[in-house]
């Protein structure tokens, strides 16, 4: 295989001539054999890196720092990289030492070598287009890497919001389908008061709707970038107008409203946005996992559990018990939620570990956030399409739970008082008789009164009108 020689200040190495990365990327591959998840597994991040490099080239050209011919070659190379044509050349492990320098240089070297071929030169002829002098002009890893991370996070969070919306709509559709299915509400796993299955599923939709808004709020935090700050935020080696110009160019390249931070020194070391995003993802997962717990409980049985709903049968559930079907979709979503919550601890510790003017642990932050968002996206879609959309209700079981429940005695409270209601509940529990039967036997209420009290519209909503108040007073007399 043909090889070319490349060097850095550590020394010279031979690089296979068919690859587009260079000596610094090669050293990183040798040094960081950690996760076996390479940059190539995260094409959205590669795209963001290319967009940052293109914005920088456009800004440098406008400020007279870059030759037009080289600018055009770099921009075309960035477009090709952003389109995914060279993803296989991004070979550095996602978790690496050096605050992301290996990732930045992997991008610089690939873009430089693609640009060289566009210019009619061979790979490695860096005198015509250099990874550092041209592709990385007016940049440092410390502003290019976090800016690319934020560009990628903005897009990924937007995608997550879309998948959460799909799941929210699935629950919303079921809430309408189940709006007339009367069932028993429960607190502390004990019978409480009646509700409808539609109300229960509407709650799931509202919970997700609220968290879509929270994700949107967290996404807005990554709009602020530190591009132009270079090493520590002072902007060393840049043109005084570079931050403003590159901000505009990044907006044009991405079509997104990224803005330069007011204080670049602060922005270079502050990782608070990542903590906030990770915390919001944890919030989403905490609530989503609770919803999955509820789905598993409501579908438990089928003979010896609640069995109020039926989840779609996806696969056999046991290697030894014939006919057993498990709630595998909620179960897998539960596990995704646990993994994301675990990643939040990683992000928190990595962000806390920053020192002085830089946090060197952003690679593990990027790895954790990208994985969390990717898993959560797929989990939302899977739960919606393979579970929620196919749920059916066991209406008779739901209704029988209500009318055989001691919990409906709560509806008698305004008419016969708490003490009488508590006494009826105790006798019903001990005797197995219905609360209605006992209330009639004690002559506390008539059947007609009970029928009126237990009307679904009264049990499911606030209803104490003046007319109802008169009925309460009459019943107590």
């Amino acid at each position: 295989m043909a090889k070319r020689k490349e060097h850095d200040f550590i020394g010279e190495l031979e690089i296979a001539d068919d690859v587009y990365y260079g000596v610094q990327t090669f050293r990183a591959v040798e040094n960081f054999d950690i996760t076996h998840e390479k940059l190539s597994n995260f094409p959205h991040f590669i795209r963001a890196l290319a967009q940052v490099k293109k914005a920088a080239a456009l800004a440098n050209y406008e400020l007279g720092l870059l030759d037009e011919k080289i600018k055009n070659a770099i921009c075309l190379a960035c477009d090709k990289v952003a389109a995914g044509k060279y993803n296989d050349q991004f070979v550095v492990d996602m978790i690496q030492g050096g605050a992301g320098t290996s990732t930045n240089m992997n991008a610089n070297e690939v873009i430089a070598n693609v640009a060289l071929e566009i210019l009619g030169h061979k790979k490695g002829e860096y005198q015509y287009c250099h990874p550092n002098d041209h592709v990385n002009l007016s940049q440092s890893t410390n502003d290019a890497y976090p800016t690319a991370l934020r560009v990628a996070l903005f897009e990924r969070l937007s995608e997550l919001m879309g998948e959460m919306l799909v799941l929210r709509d699935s629950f919303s559709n079921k809430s309408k389908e189940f709006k007339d299915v009367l069932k028993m509400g429960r607190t502390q796993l004990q019978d409480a008061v009646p509700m409808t299955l539609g109300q229960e599923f509407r709650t799931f939709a509202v919970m997700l709707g609220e968290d879509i808004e929270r994700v949107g709020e967290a996404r807005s935090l990554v709009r602020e970038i530190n591009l132009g700050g270079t090493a520590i935020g002072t902007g060393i080696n840049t043109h005084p107008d570079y931050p403003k110009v590159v901000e505009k160019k990044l907006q044009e390249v991405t079509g997104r409203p990224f803005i330069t931070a007011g204080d670049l020194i602060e922005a270079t070391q502050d990782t608070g946005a990542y903590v906030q995003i990770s915390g919001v993802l944890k919030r989403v997962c905490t609530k989503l996992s609770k919803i999955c717990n509820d789905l598993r409980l409501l579908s438990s049985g089928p003979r010896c559990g609640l069995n109020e709903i039926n989840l779609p049968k996806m696969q056999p559930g046991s290697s030894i018990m014939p006919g057993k079907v498990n709630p595998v979709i909620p179960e897998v979503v539960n596990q995704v939620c646990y993994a994301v919550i675990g990643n939040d601890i990683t992000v928190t510790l990595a962000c806390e570990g920053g020192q002085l003017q830089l946090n060197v642990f952003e690679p593990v932050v990027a790895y954790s956030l990208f994985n969390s968002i990717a898993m959560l996206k797929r989990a939302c879609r899977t739960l919606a399409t393979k579970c929620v959309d196919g749920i059916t209700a066991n209406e008779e079981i739901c209704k029988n739970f209500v009318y055989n429940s001691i919990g409906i005695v709560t509806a008698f409270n305004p008419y016969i008082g708490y003490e009488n209601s508590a006494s009826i509940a105790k006798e019903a529990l001990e005797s197995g008789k219905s609360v209605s039967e006992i209330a009639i036997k004690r002559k506390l209420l008539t059947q007609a009164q009970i029928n009126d009290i237990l009307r679904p519209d009264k049990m499911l909503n606030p209803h104490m009108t003046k007319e109802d108040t008169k009925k309460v007073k009459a019943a107590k007399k």
Side-chain angles (χ1 to χ4, degrees):
M1 182 181 295
K3 294 187 177 181
R4 65 181 187 270
K5 290 184 179 181
E6 290 196 17
H7 70 275
D8 55 18
F9 69 87
I10 293 178
E12 189 175 74
L13 288 174
E14 287 189 333
I15 308 293
D17 205 33
D18 63 336
V19 300
Y20 286 82
Y21 54 83
V23 59
Q24 293 200 43
T25 300
F26 188 87
R27 292 194 194 281
V29 170
E30 289 189 324
N31 290 335
F32 308 124
D33 183 20
I34 305 298
T35 67
H36 288 194
E37 286 205 62
K38 304 181 186 301
L39 287 170
S40 57
N41 294 340
F42 298 81
H44 51 280
F45 194 23
I46 295 172
R47 182 170 184 265
L49 286 162
Q51 289 174 324
V52 169
K53 298 299 176 180
K54 181 176 181 179
L58 291 169
N60 284 319
Y61 170 72
E62 185 169 312
L63 294 168
L65 303 175
L66 196 62
D67 177 79
E68 182 177 13
K69 190 175 181 181
I70 296 176
K71 179 266 294 184
N72 289 339
I74 290 174
C75 287
L76 182 54
C78 287
D79 289 341
K80 290 175 178 288
V81 169
K85 294 183 177 180
Y86 297 91
N87 283 354
D88 63 335
Q89 299 299 305
F90 286 79
V91 293
V92 175
D93 198 289
M94 278 293 290
I95 296 183
Q96 58 198 248
T101 295
S102 298
T103 294
N104 188 39
M105 287 308 303
N106 195 165
N108 288 335
E109 289 175 343
V110 170
I111 292 168
N113 280 310
V114 174
L116 284 170
E117 288 189 338
I118 292 169
L119 291 168
H121 302 292
K122 296 179 181 179
K123 301 184 193 76
E125 293 185 339
Y126 295 137
Q127 66 269 32
Y128 302 108
C129 183
H130 196 280
N132 296 82
D133 294 340
H134 298 117
V135 181
N136 200 62
L137 181 62
S138 302
Q139 303 154 66
S140 161
T141 293
N142 302 345
D143 64 344
Y145 183 98
T147 298
L149 172 54
R150 286 168 180 252
V151 169
L153 282 174
F154 192 97
E155 299 302 330
R156 297 300 273 176
L157 289 171
S158 299
E159 294 168 7
L160 173 59
M161 291 168 68
E163 296 302 318
M164 290 176 67
L165 187 61
V166 169
L167 181 57
R168 187 207 67 179
D169 289 347
S170 290
F171 279 118
S172 182
N173 291 336
K174 285 296 168 182
S175 74
K176 296 169 186 173
E177 181 181 337
F178 299 150
K179 65 183 177 64
D180 296 323
V181 179
L182 189 65
K183 62 157 288 174
M184 202 66 194
R186 299 175 179 88
T187 59
Q188 286 110 328
L189 296 180
Q190 306 298 305
D191 299 348
V193 296
M195 64 185 304
T196 67
L197 192 59
Q199 289 174 321
E200 194 159 32
F201 274 69
R202 186 180 67 204
T203 298
F204 299 152
V206 172
M207 289 167 67
L208 286 164
E210 289 180 346
D211 278 3
I212 291 171
E213 293 181 7
R214 301 294 83 76
V215 173
E217 292 166 358
R219 183 187 63 173
S220 68
L221 297 177
V222 297
R223 290 179 53 229
E224 186 177 270
I225 58 172
N226 72 326
L227 198 58
T230 64
I232 65 170
T234 60
I236 189 172
N237 291 350
T238 63
H239 189 285
D241 294 332
Y242 177 77
K244 291 181 180 178
V245 176
V246 80
E247 172 193 76
K248 180 182 176 183
K249 297 304 180 184
L250 187 63
Q251 291 171 354
E252 293 172 357
V253 170
T254 63
R256 298 297 193 179
F258 294 105
I259 56 172
T260 304
D263 188 316
L264 291 177
I265 295 177
E266 181 275 335
T268 300
Q269 62 187 273
D270 185 4
T271 56
Y274 308 136
V275 178
Q276 183 79 0
I277 291 168
S278 185
V280 170
L281 296 179
K282 179 175 73 173
R283 169 187 164 129
V284 172
C285 284
T286 301
K287 295 164 72 173
L288 183 58
S289 188
K290 186 269 182 191
I291 290 171
C292 288
N293 294 341
D294 287 353
L295 294 178
R296 291 190 293 115
L297 188 57
L298 291 172
S299 64
S300 61
R303 298 292 178 86
C304 302
L306 294 181
N307 195 30
E308 292 186 346
I309 62 173
N310 305 302
L311 305 185
K313 293 178 172 60
M314 302 307 297
Q315 62 187 61
S318 173
S319 61
I320 190 173
M321 294 174 281
K324 190 172 188 292
V325 178
N326 296 328
V328 293
I329 301 302
E331 286 174 352
V332 76
V333 175
N334 278 127
Q335 292 173 80
V336 166
C337 292
Y338 305 152
V340 173
I341 291 169
N343 282 344
D344 177 62
I345 299 296
T346 299
V347 172
T348 301
L349 291 174
C351 290
E352 182 276 336
Q355 297 167 320
L356 304 177
Q357 280 68 59
L358 183 67
N359 186 306
V360 302
F361 303 125
E362 284 192 7
V364 77
V365 171
Y367 179 70
S368 299
L369 289 177
F370 288 151
N371 277 328
S372 289
I373 294 169
M375 286 191 294
L376 194 49
K377 274 179 54 186
R378 293 191 288 266
C380 287
R381 173 70 65 165
T382 298
L383 185 61
T385 60
K386 295 184 181 295
C387 181
V388 178
D389 289 346
I391 291 175
T392 58
N394 295 320
E395 296 190 38
E396 285 302 311
I397 291 174
C398 290
K399 185 171 68 174
N400 289 337
F401 276 145
V402 172
Y403 288 107
N404 291 323
S405 171
I406 295 171
I408 62 173
V409 76
T410 303
F412 295 170
N413 280 358
Y415 300 87
I416 63 176
Y418 180 87
E419 294 297 335
N420 282 327
S421 296
S423 178
I424 289 174
K426 181 180 179 182
E427 182 178 342
L429 188 62
E430 293 173 350
S431 68
K433 296 178 180 178
S434 72
V435 295
S436 298
E437 183 182 353
I438 297 169
I440 293 171
K441 183 188 72 172
R442 295 187 185 184
K443 297 183 178 180
L444 292 170
L445 292 169
T446 66
Q447 185 63 61
Q449 289 173 318
I450 290 173
N451 291 342
D452 182 62
I453 293 169
L454 297 184
R455 280 166 36 203
D457 62 312
K458 285 194 171 185
M459 289 192 291
L460 302 176
N461 301 287
H463 64 275
M464 293 301 291
T465 63
K466 289 183 179 180
E467 186 64 29
D468 289 307
T469 304
K470 291 178 183 179
K471 291 180 180 179
V472 168
K473 290 180 179 179
K476 289 181 176 178
K477 288 181 181 179

